[in-house]
Amino acid sequence: MTKLLIQGHHSLRGEVELSGDQQTIMAIQAASLLSTHGTVIIDNVPATANVVAMNQLLQSLNVVIEFDRHQQILKMDATRHIEPVKISGQELLAAGAILARCRHVQLVDNGVNPEYQQTMIRIGEFLSQMGATMTTANEMIDITADHLIGQKIDLQNDTLATTLTLMMAATMAQGITVLNNPYDHPAVIELAKVLNKMGARVHGAGTKVLRIQGVTFLHSTDYYALDDQEEASVYLIIGALTAGDVLVRGARQVHLQPLIDHLEQMGNTVIIQRNGIRVIGTRLQLPIDIQPEISRFTGSYTQIALLALQMVAQGTSTISNFSKSELDVLGCAVADRYKQLKYEDRQLVIHGPLKHYPKVVTTNSPMTGLLALLDALVADQVTMINPAEVAGGSFVHLIDRLIELGAKIELSFE
């Protein structure tokens, strides 16, 4: 098993190129099911575990997949007869497209993350509002609908997967669907663009109200994927975390302004450039509370990176609306033997800077691996993380890019 040996406490400096946005790509992979004519083509597609898993789901549905990993071009032909299968986890965002195409979808609780169970239930409830029939049995939700009818739906505090699912379902519903307070994420805007290129009528993407007029037919299109703005967030935080100087090419202010404001309030310098965003970090990070608004704006990996940044702040800070699943991630990666972390009433209180980090960490998911990796970059010690494949699994070429920025990381094959 390959392990990482990391000598921490080095400032990282240099430039980073981003991969295509995973959430957007996964949404468009699911949306390809709505095309009954031609091939949907996506360029700038990284071969991440999530993208590959979605390809496997599409193939199980009888979609023809051609994926050139070197050229990063993905082609999807869903013109053949589509057979529904059971879906769970991150695949839940395909529920709306599968239901619209097949009139039947089954959602299964995989028991991995409690938040997926809640997403399952909410998707079922919302699709029921649109006229679907929902039955539950043995931790599975069975949904059928000969047709869906447009409704007004409030998505306040719901997940990104819920918003994307309902957008796809609504494209072929009868009448107009109004989605109030959709999840604020670049994937929502990009999916709307692609659906409209396929013949849908989606209006208001990027605002508090999405209006979708149903159509009866969608066709193929092509799309060059937006650079991954969550990946951009993590690299910007890494620059701040290590008191470094990092330019993230392809990072966009329009998608990252809440994070930019937060980094500046903690004492970092953020410079908006024509080709990206540059962050110049400081060793004296100020403790700034993370409010629910930032948590709603950011993805899971960004939240983990922000958690690592709060741990080095010089004082007490609070992360509101901190879930039990996020606490489990923290427990896997940090041995809090000095009572600097306290969790109560969905709030995590951090008394920073954290003085002691574990020297050996075993990871079981990309999220725990990312937290362990970021902590290791900060700690003035040598940290061993295993397995290396999981620790660096959150983004394509993460370890290679960190090394290019000056991180002291070695692979051990013991």
Side-chain angles (χ1 to χ4, degrees):
M1 183 179 294
T2 308
K3 303 176 182 179
L4 295 176
L5 296 176
I6 304 169
Q7 173 63 64
H9 208 62
H10 290 282
S11 297
L12 303 191
R13 301 175 183 278
E15 300 181 1
V16 174
E17 298 281 351
L18 299 172
S19 307
D21 179 31
Q22 290 187 72
Q23 283 290 349
T24 300
I25 291 167
M26 292 171 64
I28 296 167
Q29 286 175 280
S32 71
L33 292 166
L34 300 170
S35 171
T36 54
H37 178 74
T39 301
V40 175
I41 303 173
I42 315 176
D43 199 350
N44 193 29
V45 181
T48 64
N50 290 335
V51 169
V52 171
M54 188 62 77
N55 278 342
Q56 292 170 345
L57 170 65
L58 294 177
Q59 288 175 318
S60 70
L61 289 162
N62 207 27
V63 177
V64 178
I65 299 291
E66 294 181 30
F67 186 22
D68 187 328
R69 297 183 180 218
H70 179 68
Q71 296 293 330
Q72 296 191 320
I73 296 176
L74 173 62
K75 299 179 180 180
M76 299 162 290
D77 183 349
T79 57
R80 299 196 296 180
H81 178 68
I82 301 299
E83 290 287 348
V85 298
K86 298 175 182 178
I87 60 174
S88 61
Q90 297 209 38
E91 297 170 355
L92 290 172
L93 65 84
I98 295 174
L99 181 63
R101 179 70 185 269
C102 303
R103 302 181 180 180
H104 182 209
V105 65
Q106 293 178 310
L107 315 181
V108 181
D109 180 10
N110 60 13
V112 174
N113 188 330
E115 292 183 5
Y116 288 140
Q117 182 184 35
Q118 184 62 28
T119 298
M120 258 178 57
I121 295 170
R122 296 294 282 170
I123 287 174
E125 291 173 346
F126 289 138
L127 291 175
S128 294
Q129 289 182 36
M130 298 177 69
T133 299
M134 178 179 72
T135 57
T136 60
N138 300 321
E139 300 183 338
M140 182 179 72
I141 298 177
D142 190 276
I143 305 171
T144 59
D146 287 335
H147 61 271
L148 296 174
I149 301 173
Q151 299 289 335
K152 290 184 179 180
I153 297 175
D154 188 358
L155 294 175
Q156 185 72 42
N157 299 323
D158 273 288
T159 64
L160 174 61
T162 305
T163 295
L164 298 174
T165 292
L166 294 181
M167 287 175 67
M168 287 181 260
T171 57
M172 301 186 73
Q174 295 178 3
I176 297 175
T177 301
V178 179
L179 303 179
N180 292 316
N181 301 303
Y183 199 94
D184 185 10
H185 192 280
V188 174
I189 298 172
E190 297 300 301
L191 176 61
K193 291 178 182 177
V194 172
L195 288 173
N196 286 338
K197 286 182 67 176
M198 294 171 68
R201 298 176 180 177
V202 183
H203 308 283
T207 72
K208 292 294 184 181
V209 181
L210 270 173
R211 290 183 174 84
I212 305 168
Q213 183 175 348
V215 297
T216 58
F217 171 81
L218 291 177
H219 54 76
S220 61
T221 189
D222 55 26
Y223 170 73
Y224 189 92
L226 172 77
D227 286 329
D228 193 333
Q229 299 304 293
E230 181 165 24
E231 185 181 15
S233 297
V234 171
Y235 282 117
L236 289 171
I237 293 169
I238 287 173
L241 182 70
T242 63
D245 184 349
V246 176
L247 170 62
V248 183
R249 292 182 175 273
R252 299 188 183 184
Q253 181 182 10
V254 65
H255 297 309
L256 300 175
Q257 192 60 57
L259 176 64
I260 292 169
D261 294 341
H262 188 83
L263 291 176
E264 289 180 331
Q265 289 174 35
M266 292 188 73
N268 304 285
T269 301
V270 181
I271 303 169
I272 310 301
Q273 299 186 183
R274 181 178 55 81
N275 59 347
I277 301 175
R278 177 185 175 191
V279 62
I280 303 173
T282 173
R283 289 288 180 195
L284 187 62
Q285 297 288 338
L286 303 177
I288 303 296
D289 292 344
I290 298 180
Q291 300 300 327
E293 293 76 22
I294 288 232
S295 298
R296 179 170 167 79
F297 156 78
T298 57
S300 298
Y301 291 128
T302 307
Q303 292 175 31
I304 289 296
L306 278 172
L307 172 59
L309 185 60
Q310 299 301 121
M311 289 178 180
V312 304
Q314 305 289 316
T316 300
S317 59
T318 301
I319 302 179
S320 301
N321 201 29
F322 198 81
S323 70
K324 182 63 169 63
S325 60
E326 291 170 315
L327 183 67
D328 292 340
V329 169
L330 178 63
C332 291
V334 178
D336 180 30
R337 294 168 296 197
Y338 298 90
K339 306 303 180 185
Q340 291 186 261
L341 308 172
K342 183 179 180 180
Y343 180 73
E344 188 175 6
D345 296 331
R346 291 184 62 82
Q347 283 194 334
L348 180 69
V349 179
I350 304 170
H351 301 287
L354 227 62
K355 301 183 184 301
H356 302 275
Y357 292 95
K359 293 187 177 181
V360 178
V361 180
T362 299
T363 65
N364 57 12
S365 76
M367 287 222 301
T368 63
L370 179 62
L371 181 57
L373 183 58
L374 299 185
D375 288 343
L377 292 175
V378 172
D380 192 5
Q381 64 184 35
V382 175
T383 304
M384 175 182 287
I385 306 177
N386 70 85
E389 294 80 6
V390 175
S394 50
F395 300 106
V396 175
H397 307 309
L398 174 61
I399 303 301
D400 291 338
R401 286 171 176 167
L402 290 176
I403 292 173
E404 290 171 0
L405 291 172
K408 306 299 181 183
I409 301 178
E410 295 181 3
L411 291 177
S412 171
F413 300 95
E414 296 178 0

